[in-house]
Amino acid sequence: MRAPRHLRIFIQIIFVVTLISGCSQTNKPVEPTEFIKYEDKNNNFAISYPKGWTIDSEQKDVSVLFESPKENDQDAITESISVNAIILPFEATAPLENYKDGIIEMIKKGAPGIEVQNTTKLKIKEHEAMQILLKGKYNNVDLAFQMTYVIKGKMAYIIDLTCLYDDLEKYASIIGKVTNSFEILE
Protein backbone atom coordinates (compact mmCIF):
# COMPACT_ATOMS: atom_id res chain seq x y z
CA MET A 1 0.00 0.00 0.00
CA ARG A 2 1.50 3.33 -1.07
CA ALA A 3 1.29 6.13 1.49
CA PRO A 4 -0.15 9.51 0.45
CA ARG A 5 2.23 12.17 -0.89
CA HIS A 6 1.55 14.40 2.14
CA LEU A 7 2.74 11.66 4.51
CA ARG A 8 5.82 10.89 2.37
CA ILE A 9 6.92 14.53 2.39
CA PHE A 10 6.37 14.76 6.14
CA ILE A 11 8.56 11.73 6.85
CA GLN A 12 11.34 13.18 4.71
CA ILE A 13 11.15 16.45 6.65
CA ILE A 14 11.37 14.56 9.97
CA PHE A 15 14.63 12.98 8.82
CA VAL A 16 16.21 16.31 7.99
CA VAL A 17 15.18 17.77 11.35
CA THR A 18 16.46 14.76 13.31
CA LEU A 19 19.76 14.78 11.47
CA ILE A 20 20.22 18.43 12.37
CA SER A 21 19.13 17.86 15.98
CA GLY A 22 21.65 15.10 16.58
CA CYS A 23 23.03 13.31 19.63
CA SER A 24 25.58 13.42 22.43
CA GLN A 25 28.99 11.81 22.17
CA THR A 26 29.65 10.55 25.71
CA ASN A 27 28.79 7.34 27.48
CA LYS A 28 27.85 8.71 30.89
CA PRO A 29 24.71 7.03 32.22
CA VAL A 30 21.69 9.29 31.99
CA GLU A 31 18.62 8.77 34.17
CA PRO A 32 16.50 11.78 35.04
CA THR A 33 14.23 11.35 38.00
CA GLU A 34 11.76 14.11 37.17
CA PHE A 35 9.69 14.59 34.06
CA ILE A 36 7.68 17.64 33.04
CA LYS A 37 4.36 17.37 31.23
CA TYR A 38 4.08 19.28 27.95
CA GLU A 39 0.66 19.91 26.38
CA ASP A 40 0.02 20.95 22.81
CA LYS A 41 -3.64 21.94 22.77
CA ASN A 42 -3.52 22.92 19.08
CA ASN A 43 -2.51 19.37 18.09
CA ASN A 44 -4.34 17.63 20.96
CA PHE A 45 -1.49 15.75 22.60
CA ALA A 46 0.50 15.70 25.82
CA ILE A 47 3.87 14.13 26.54
CA SER A 48 6.37 14.26 29.39
CA TYR A 49 10.04 15.09 28.92
CA PRO A 50 13.06 14.96 31.27
CA LYS A 51 13.60 17.93 33.57
CA GLY A 52 16.68 19.85 32.45
CA TRP A 53 16.08 19.25 28.73
CA THR A 54 15.30 22.29 26.60
CA ILE A 55 12.00 22.66 24.83
CA ASP A 56 11.50 24.25 21.43
CA SER A 57 7.95 24.57 20.12
CA GLU A 58 8.92 27.06 17.41
CA GLN A 59 10.48 24.48 15.05
CA LYS A 60 9.20 24.71 11.49
CA ASP A 61 8.88 21.00 10.78
CA VAL A 62 7.94 19.45 14.14
CA SER A 63 5.34 20.26 16.78
CA VAL A 64 7.89 20.24 19.60
CA LEU A 65 11.56 19.35 20.07
CA PHE A 66 13.18 18.40 23.38
CA GLU A 67 16.99 18.39 23.61
CA SER A 68 19.24 17.02 26.30
CA PRO A 69 21.74 19.36 27.95
CA LYS A 70 25.34 19.27 26.76
CA GLU A 71 27.37 16.89 28.88
CA ASN A 72 30.68 18.72 28.27
CA ASP A 73 32.31 21.30 25.97
CA GLN A 74 33.01 18.67 23.31
CA ASP A 75 29.35 17.68 23.15
CA ALA A 76 28.65 19.28 19.77
CA ILE A 77 25.48 17.29 19.15
CA THR A 78 22.80 16.53 21.75
CA GLU A 79 20.17 13.83 22.03
CA SER A 80 16.74 14.92 20.96
CA ILE A 81 13.15 13.79 21.08
CA SER A 82 10.67 15.40 18.75
CA VAL A 83 6.93 15.01 18.35
CA ASN A 84 5.05 15.90 15.25
CA ALA A 85 1.34 15.90 14.68
CA ILE A 86 0.03 15.90 11.14
CA ILE A 87 -3.42 15.82 9.66
CA LEU A 88 -3.74 12.96 7.22
CA PRO A 89 -5.63 13.49 3.97
CA PHE A 90 -7.76 10.43 4.85
CA GLU A 91 -8.98 8.67 7.96
CA ALA A 92 -6.64 5.80 8.79
CA THR A 93 -8.88 2.85 9.59
CA ALA A 94 -6.51 -0.03 8.89
CA PRO A 95 -4.08 -1.34 11.53
CA LEU A 96 -0.70 0.43 11.56
CA GLU A 97 0.95 -2.77 10.35
CA ASN A 98 -0.76 -2.20 6.98
CA TYR A 99 1.15 1.08 6.53
CA LYS A 100 4.56 -0.22 7.66
CA ASP A 101 5.98 -1.06 4.23
CA GLY A 102 4.90 2.28 2.76
CA ILE A 103 6.43 4.21 5.66
CA ILE A 104 9.72 2.30 5.39
CA GLU A 105 9.81 2.86 1.61
CA MET A 106 9.34 6.62 2.11
CA ILE A 107 12.05 6.73 4.77
CA LYS A 108 14.54 4.97 2.50
CA LYS A 109 13.74 7.31 -0.40
CA GLY A 110 14.12 10.37 1.83
CA ALA A 111 17.37 9.19 3.41
CA PRO A 112 19.35 6.87 1.14
CA GLY A 113 21.70 4.63 3.09
CA ILE A 114 19.44 4.45 6.13
CA GLU A 115 18.97 0.92 7.46
CA VAL A 116 15.91 -0.45 9.23
CA GLN A 117 17.11 -2.31 12.32
CA ASN A 118 13.71 -3.54 13.48
CA THR A 119 10.03 -2.77 13.79
CA THR A 120 7.88 -3.36 16.84
CA LYS A 121 4.16 -3.20 17.52
CA LEU A 122 3.22 -1.70 20.88
CA LYS A 123 0.46 0.04 22.78
CA ILE A 124 0.67 3.52 24.23
CA LYS A 125 -2.16 3.99 26.64
CA GLU A 126 -5.10 2.51 24.66
CA HIS A 127 -3.63 3.34 21.23
CA GLU A 128 -1.96 0.91 18.85
CA ALA A 129 1.53 2.11 17.90
CA MET A 130 4.39 1.04 15.68
CA GLN A 131 8.05 1.70 16.40
CA ILE A 132 10.75 1.65 13.72
CA LEU A 133 14.42 1.67 14.70
CA LEU A 134 16.73 3.05 12.02
CA LYS A 135 20.49 3.44 11.70
CA GLY A 136 22.11 6.05 9.49
CA LYS A 137 25.29 8.08 9.12
CA TYR A 138 25.66 11.81 9.54
CA ASN A 139 29.18 13.31 9.20
CA ASN A 140 30.59 9.76 9.45
CA VAL A 141 28.85 9.18 12.79
CA ASP A 142 26.36 6.33 13.25
CA LEU A 143 23.04 7.68 14.50
CA ALA A 144 19.93 5.90 15.74
CA PHE A 145 16.45 7.13 14.93
CA GLN A 146 13.68 5.48 16.91
CA MET A 147 10.40 6.60 15.41
CA THR A 148 7.10 5.73 17.09
CA TYR A 149 3.89 6.19 15.10
CA VAL A 150 0.43 6.61 16.63
CA ILE A 151 -2.59 7.26 14.41
CA LYS A 152 -6.07 8.20 15.53
CA GLY A 153 -8.63 9.02 12.87
CA LYS A 154 -7.10 11.65 10.60
CA MET A 155 -4.27 12.53 13.02
CA ALA A 156 -0.83 10.95 12.91
CA TYR A 157 1.71 11.50 15.68
CA ILE A 158 5.39 10.65 15.35
CA ILE A 159 7.64 10.55 18.42
CA ASP A 160 11.29 10.46 17.33
CA LEU A 161 14.42 9.89 19.40
CA THR A 162 17.74 10.73 17.77
CA CYS A 163 21.03 9.74 19.40
CA LEU A 164 24.35 8.09 18.69
CA TYR A 165 23.68 4.51 17.71
CA ASP A 166 26.04 3.26 20.43
CA ASP A 167 24.12 5.30 23.03
CA LEU A 168 20.74 3.76 22.21
CA GLU A 169 20.84 1.47 25.27
CA LYS A 170 21.80 4.41 27.47
CA TYR A 171 18.66 6.31 26.44
CA ALA A 172 16.28 3.33 26.26
CA SER A 173 14.76 4.04 29.67
CA ILE A 174 14.25 7.74 28.92
CA ILE A 175 12.65 7.20 25.53
CA GLY A 176 10.47 4.48 27.03
CA LYS A 177 9.20 6.84 29.73
CA VAL A 178 8.69 9.70 27.28
CA THR A 179 6.94 7.51 24.69
CA ASN A 180 4.70 5.82 27.27
CA SER A 181 3.68 9.22 28.66
CA PHE A 182 2.23 10.24 25.28
CA GLU A 183 -1.51 10.85 25.30
CA ILE A 184 -4.03 12.17 22.85
CA LEU A 185 -6.13 14.92 24.37
CA GLU A 186 -9.84 14.81 23.69
Side-chain angles (χ1 to χ4, degrees):
M1 167 182 265
R2 187 170 167 91
R5 181 176 182 272
H6 179 75
L7 188 56
R8 289 192 313 264
I9 290 170
F10 172 73
I11 290 171
Q12 291 171 358
I13 289 169
I14 288 293
F15 264 82
V16 171
V17 170
T18 57
L19 285 174
I20 291 169
S21 301
C23 308
S24 171
Q25 298 180 13
T26 66
N27 286 321
K28 292 189 333 189
V30 177
E31 190 57 44
T33 56
E34 290 185 60
F35 286 78
I36 300 167
K37 188 172 186 174
Y38 172 83
E39 286 190 9
D40 183 332
K41 294 188 187 223
N42 290 331
N43 292 305
N44 299 322
F45 74 86
I47 193 164
S48 295
Y49 65 96
K51 183 177 181 178
W53 285 40
T54 61
I55 181 172
D56 185 351
S57 59
E58 301 298 319
Q59 290 284 319
K60 180 180 175 188
D61 299 321
V62 297
S63 300
V64 65
L65 175 71
F66 307 106
E67 289 186 282
S68 70
K70 289 188 176 203
E71 294 175 2
N72 57 47
D73 290 339
Q74 288 76 37
D75 196 3
I77 305 172
T78 57
E79 297 73 24
S80 65
I81 298 172
S82 64
V83 181
N84 205 351
I86 60 168
I87 299 171
L88 300 173
F90 59 91
E91 184 163 341
T93 55
L96 268 172
E97 188 72 22
N98 292 8
Y99 302 105
K100 179 175 78 173
D101 292 338
I103 291 170
I104 291 171
E105 179 184 325
M106 286 185 294
I107 289 169
K108 287 183 174 184
K109 281 183 182 177
I114 198 111
E115 302 170 15
V116 175
Q117 301 299 296
N118 66 46
T119 61
T120 308
K121 288 173 33 176
L122 57 136
K123 259 195 183 217
I124 300 173
K125 308 269 189 269
E126 72 276 2
H127 304 288
E128 296 293 325
M130 178 178 58
Q131 201 166 71
I132 301 174
L133 176 61
L134 305 151
K135 181 179 183 180
K137 283 203 179 288
Y138 180 71
N139 288 340
N140 281 336
V141 176
D142 287 330
L143 296 178
F145 306 96
Q146 185 172 298
M147 303 174 83
T148 304
Y149 296 82
V150 179
I151 298 177
K152 181 177 180 188
K154 289 184 100 171
M155 289 300 297
Y157 300 92
I158 302 172
I159 305 162
D160 181 32
L161 163 77
T162 303
C163 70
L164 291 174
Y165 191 81
D166 290 340
D167 284 350
L168 193 56
E169 290 266 331
K170 180 169 92 170
Y171 288 95
S173 175
I174 292 172
I175 190 60
K177 288 177 183 176
V178 171
T179 301
N180 288 322
S181 75
F182 178 81
E183 60 185 294
I184 298 172
L185 303 175
E186 301 298 325

